[in-house]
Amino acid sequence: MRIRATVAAVSGALALSAFVAPAAHAVGSTAPDVTFSSMKVNGGKAIVVPATGSVKFTITYKVTHAADLKTSDFYAMPVIYHGTTIEKSQYGVAPSGEPTCTDSSTTVQSCKATLSVSRADLVNSIAGTWQSGGIAFDKNLDNPAFTNNLGRVSVQRLSKLTVNATPEPVKKGRTITVTGSLTRANWDAKKYSGYASQSVKLQFRKKGSSTYTTLKTIKSSSTGALKTTTTATVDGYYRYSFAGTSTTPAVNATGDYVDVQ
């Protein structure tokens, strides 16, 4: 993975897939004695990316440097990446602007950076668990020092869920048909595609109540379609609920009200 050692590269949105070979070390120079710790990505929440566009999030972290090293002598950049190490990763993201740091002591800085993940940086196969880490460069933006595996980061494909209960209104004791669709971001195709063979709960909330109860669990079709029936008893709201997977977040459909007469 080649680190693009330019100010533009380290201060703008950065996809690690652009790096193809190890960074060369300048003659007579060494990697800075800098490490990262206490890294927290997006407040500990998953990074959920839609089928188009991008998502911004923050990283907070600490930077520890040697006592004889001035902060002007190095540049410390947090990253999230997919793979075992930053050096071997083909996919990752670095800050979209300069990190903000304050001195906690003569050798420790507390920092915060904003990052942006674009659908254009991603492919479906890398949704799921990523890692956080950091790269420190010398003052010439050369000779990187890597700190790997500072914590897992979940990068997921945005999910959507719909519901439609019919007929409306309906007589008490009659059958209600509930249809819907479970889709998720298809980063490869830049659109939303059906999420097949997933367990989805049909839930009901009685009018005047704030709590949904599960009526049954069904599977989405090969196209993500949902369809089942239930018996009309009282006025209330029907919805589908998906618990999520490692690559796709949980989602609830907006309840569809049915008037029972």
Side-chain angles (χ1 to χ4, degrees):
M1 177 178 65
R2 175 164 176 76
I3 305 301
R4 293 181 293 178
T6 67
V7 173
V10 296
S11 62
L14 189 63
L16 299 187
S17 55
F19 306 149
V20 294
H25 287 247
V27 176
S29 298
T30 59
D33 186 359
V34 175
T35 57
F36 296 75
S37 62
S38 303
M39 191 165 285
K40 191 169 186 178
V41 180
N42 198 30
K45 299 179 293 184
I47 299 166
V48 181
V49 185
T52 59
S54 60
V55 174
K56 287 187 177 181
F57 60 95
T58 59
I59 293 182
T60 57
Y61 56 100
K62 291 185 182 298
V63 173
T64 301
H65 59 87
D68 60 350
L69 191 63
K70 298 177 182 178
T71 56
S72 59
D73 289 336
F74 66 89
Y75 182 90
M77 178 178 73
V79 297
I80 62 168
Y81 61 96
H82 181 266
T84 56
T85 64
I86 300 170
E87 301 95 311
K88 295 179 180 180
S89 175
Q90 291 185 325
Y91 295 94
V93 180
S96 54
E98 290 284 344
T100 301
C101 297
T102 56
D103 292 330
S104 300
S105 71
T106 56
T107 59
V108 179
Q109 290 184 308
S110 295
C111 301
K112 181 178 181 179
T114 299
L115 285 76
S116 178
V117 176
S118 170
R119 191 288 313 162
D121 297 331
L122 306 171
V123 293
N124 291 338
S125 61
I126 62 173
T129 301
W130 288 35
Q131 291 283 345
S132 62
I135 312 172
F137 301 90
D138 65 20
K139 63 182 178 181
N140 297 315
L141 298 177
D142 259 324
N143 302 297
F146 301 95
T147 303
N148 287 294
N149 303 320
L150 292 181
R152 293 184 177 183
V153 180
S154 181
V155 179
Q156 298 182 318
R157 299 160 61 179
L158 179 64
S159 54
K160 296 184 177 183
L161 189 56
T162 63
V163 67
N164 184 36
T166 58
E168 303 174 55
V170 64
K171 289 186 178 181
K172 184 176 181 179
R174 294 290 181 88
T175 297
I176 294 175
T177 300
V178 187
T179 57
S181 179
L182 174 64
T183 59
R184 62 174 176 167
N186 184 334
W187 296 333
D188 296 344
K190 305 178 186 178
K191 65 179 184 179
Y192 289 88
S193 301
Y195 198 4
S197 304
Q198 298 302 306
S199 294
V200 179
K201 295 177 180 179
L202 173 64
Q203 298 182 326
F204 178 74
R205 175 169 66 87
K206 184 179 178 180
K207 180 180 179 181
S209 171
S210 60
T211 304
Y212 276 93
T213 58
T214 298
L215 302 179
K216 63 175 71 175
T217 300
I218 64 172
K219 290 277 190 178
S220 59
S221 74
S222 60
T223 62
L226 301 164
K227 185 176 181 178
T228 190
T229 59
T230 188
T231 301
T233 56
V234 295
D235 295 352
Y237 300 83
Y238 293 88
R239 76 175 186 185
Y240 281 118
S241 179
F242 174 59
T245 63
S246 62
T247 62
T248 310
V251 62
N252 294 318
T254 301
D256 187 21
Y257 181 76
V258 174
D259 178 18
V260 177
Q261 299 179 341

